[in-house]
Amino acid sequence: MDLRALRYFISVLEAGSLSRAAHSLYVAQPALTAQIKKLEGELGTRLLERSHAGVTPTPAGTQLYEDARRLLSDADAMRERIQRLPQGPEGSVTIALPFLLTSLLAGPVIASLRSSHPRIRIFVIDDLSLMVQKAMLDRRADLAILVDTPALHDLQVEPMAEEPIYVCGHDVDAVAAPLLRPAPDDGLPSMDFADACQLPLVLQSRRFSIRQAVESAAEAGGLRLNIVHEHDSARVIRSLYHCGAGFTFTPACSLSEAPAWLRANAGLAARNGPATIEPGWIVARVTSPELLRHYFLAVQANRGSDPALQVVRQALMAQARRLMDSHLWQARWLAAPGAINPSPQG
């Protein structure tokens, strides 16, 4: 008895006749009949009842049909498992990302790994930076990008990048333009932090890391923030400064979601010559002191050597580095040399 004979037997029963089964199997009917007789001889019992209408199973044939289907299913599954082994790692990896980095990193990483490592399933938690930390501490995430957190309990944490914080908004009353300082490289201008604090500001609440960084710098410099609107929603803040209701502080990664004029011009001086900003709009790097936002890559210690997680980690780091090298993300790479394998295969 072999697997082919069992497949033939199943086909005969499901077709209801030897002739129809032979046609679907592209096998001559005498050869198929011989295979069924051989199977009956090996099992020592009749399997089929033949009539002018076709064939029906005997009780032994019904039992064999049920057992053979399970056996062939197991054989197919075994073959698939063996054939999949050389294709690379498999498993589930959950990434936790701060809101502002999700659109930059998540899509390209998930799409590229779907092609290169289809057996790795990726889940994303995008939330406030504090909730990203909590997801790691609660072990709901395997891998995360932390904001301004160089160490966290029982996690492997390594530096990844730092980016500047900008002040931006629609300067409808021309209150910000006189405060700008031209950039030495003909790129985006800068503004002293003390001057930025005097502008009418639209900011998120103290739950957000950017607000915390701005308040810490203001407190250190003995400065007062001129806050005219405070909302938790990033969309509300964006809508307010787009319509000219005030200015906001935003990290470089968020410039990718700025209006079209900014996406086309801001920060591209290194490639396209001087950056130009549409009249009435302000985008300036904060200086004196310079406000910087730091990112760290964190991994659950117990999964540090997991092949699937390592593939995702490499893809995440590689995408971040590509964005920086192409000036689409105005950030500075901080990871150690060799942190990225150009062709991570796990």
Side-chain angles (χ1 to χ4, degrees), residues 21-200:
H23 179 74
S24 66
L25 292 169
Y26 301 100
V27 175
Q29 184 172 336
L32 182 58
T33 301
Q35 285 286 341
I36 299 301
K37 288 183 176 179
K38 179 183 177 186
L39 191 57
E40 289 177 326
E42 290 174 344
L43 294 174
T45 186
R46 241 181 119 117
L47 300 173
L48 298 174
E49 296 287 355
R50 296 163 177 83
S51 69
H52 68 278
V55 295
T56 55
T58 64
T62 299
Q63 185 64 54
L64 178 63
Y65 175 77
E66 295 173 357
D67 291 344
R69 288 195 63 181
R70 285 193 295 270
L71 178 62
L72 291 174
S73 177
D74 289 343
D76 290 340
M78 179 182 67
R79 181 183 298 106
E80 184 181 350
R81 285 194 298 270
I82 297 300
Q83 290 176 345
R84 285 186 321 203
L85 288 178
Q87 297 178 6
E90 64 177 303
S92 299
V93 178
T94 299
I95 311 171
L97 295 173
F99 279 132
L100 292 177
L101 286 184
T102 303
S103 58
L104 282 178
L105 300 177
V109 168
I110 293 171
S112 66
L113 291 179
R114 171 72 177 176
S115 174
S116 64
H117 292 81
R119 295 176 54 73
I120 297 178
R121 297 173 301 282
I122 300 175
F123 303 92
V124 177
I125 299 171
D126 60 325
D127 211 327
L128 304 179
S129 56
L130 185 62
M131 300 309 293
V132 168
Q133 290 186 25
K134 190 174 187 307
M136 289 296 286
L137 291 174
D138 292 346
R139 297 187 178 276
R140 291 183 291 113
D142 306 300
L143 176 70
I145 295 180
L146 307 178
V147 177
D148 295 328
T149 308
L152 202 58
H153 177 69
D154 204 27
L155 298 177
Q156 297 176 2
V157 182
E158 59 182 305
M160 180 180 171
E162 71 174 14
E163 64 177 352
I165 290 179
Y166 293 82
V167 59
C168 61
H170 194 182
D171 193 16
V172 292
D173 297 321
V175 296
L179 305 176
L180 297 176
R181 298 176 182 274
D185 58 359
D186 290 327
L188 290 172
S190 63
M191 182 183 294
D192 286 353
F193 179 63
D195 291 332
C197 289
Q198 297 174 22
L199 297 174

Side-chain angles (χ1 to χ4, degrees), residues 166-169 200-204 237-238 241 246-250:
Y166 293 82
V167 59
C168 61
L201 298 173
V202 292
L203 298 178
Q204 290 175 302
I237 296 296
R238 187 178 298 116
Y241 76 75
F247 299 82
T248 196
F249 293 97
T250 189

Side-chain angles (χ1 to χ4, degrees), residues 205-283:
S205 71
R206 291 178 176 86
R207 295 195 303 126
F208 292 79
S209 60
I210 296 173
R211 171 71 178 272
Q212 294 168 11
V214 170
E215 288 214 340
S216 295
E219 184 178 352
L223 301 170
R224 179 178 174 275
L225 298 172
N226 180 23
I227 301 173
V228 295
H229 293 283
E230 181 180 289
H231 292 272
D232 274 359
S233 170
R235 291 182 177 89
V236 172
I237 296 296
R238 187 178 298 116
S239 179
L240 283 167
Y241 76 75
H242 281 186
C243 76
F247 299 82
T248 196
F249 293 97
T250 189
C253 64
S254 70
L255 297 184
S256 65
E257 296 185 352
W261 56 265
L262 181 55
R263 291 198 305 272
N265 297 299
L268 302 184
R271 293 189 299 166
N272 301 332
T276 58
I277 299 300
E278 185 176 286
W281 287 91
I282 296 297
V283 179

